[in-house]
């Protein structure tokens, strides 16, 4: 499978929201708590607006995953805070790591 990595756009946000919710709710131990706090299941558009979000797209155009990042000391950093892990895994493009989202 060929995966293309590109910048996210505002038109991607609805799809990215679905990817984020499905990925977050796939963890059985966190699911109930997350469902009690749906505000935690929202992807903001700031990374896309500021050009700090990348999207992995399959050959058929399906969004497979995404990762927001910060610029820290002039370098991209996929850790958006000290307690979050980047969405990472299967494919890689330079300093960014990606996960393949399984429906």
């Amino acid at each position: 499978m060929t995966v293309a990595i590109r910048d996210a756009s505002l038109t991607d946000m609805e799809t990215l929201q679905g990817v984020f919710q499905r990925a977050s709710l796939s963890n059985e131990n966190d699911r109930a708590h997350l469902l009690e706090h749906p505000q935690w299941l929202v992807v903001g558009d700031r990374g896309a607006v500021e050009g700090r979000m990348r999207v992995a797209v399959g050959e058929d155009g399906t969004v497979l995953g995404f990762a927001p990042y910060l610029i820290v000391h002039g370098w991209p950093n996929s850790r958006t805070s000290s307690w979050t892990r980047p969405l990472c895994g299967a494919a890689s493009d330079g300093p960014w790591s990606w996960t393949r989202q399984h429906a």
Side-chain angles (χ1 to χ4, degrees):
M1 170 193 254
T2 301
V3 176
I5 306 297
R6 63 169 173 77
D7 289 331
S9 69
L10 289 176
T11 59
D12 293 315
M13 293 312 300
E14 185 176 341
T15 301
L16 300 182
Q17 182 65 44
V19 169
F20 182 69
Q21 287 178 348
R22 287 188 302 277
S24 297
L25 295 173
S26 70
N27 184 338
E28 187 177 322
N29 295 326
D30 294 335
R31 188 176 305 129
H33 197 62
L34 289 170
L35 290 172
E36 290 175 12
H37 300 278
Q39 70 274 17
W40 295 346
L41 294 170
V42 176
V43 175
D45 63 4
R46 187 172 173 183
V49 169
E50 295 177 359
R52 297 182 298 98
M53 188 178 295
R54 303 281 280 164
V55 179
V57 183
E59 293 170 302
D60 63 355
T62 301
V63 172
L64 305 172
F66 71 99
Y69 62 92
L70 298 174
I71 302 297
V72 179
H73 303 295
W75 291 90
N77 185 329
S78 60
R79 294 187 186 272
T80 55
S81 76
S82 61
W83 56 268
T84 58
R85 289 185 221 155
L87 300 174
C88 61
S92 179
D93 178 39
W96 298 284
S97 296
W98 308 94
T99 188
R100 182 173 177 188
Q101 192 278 324
H102 299 280

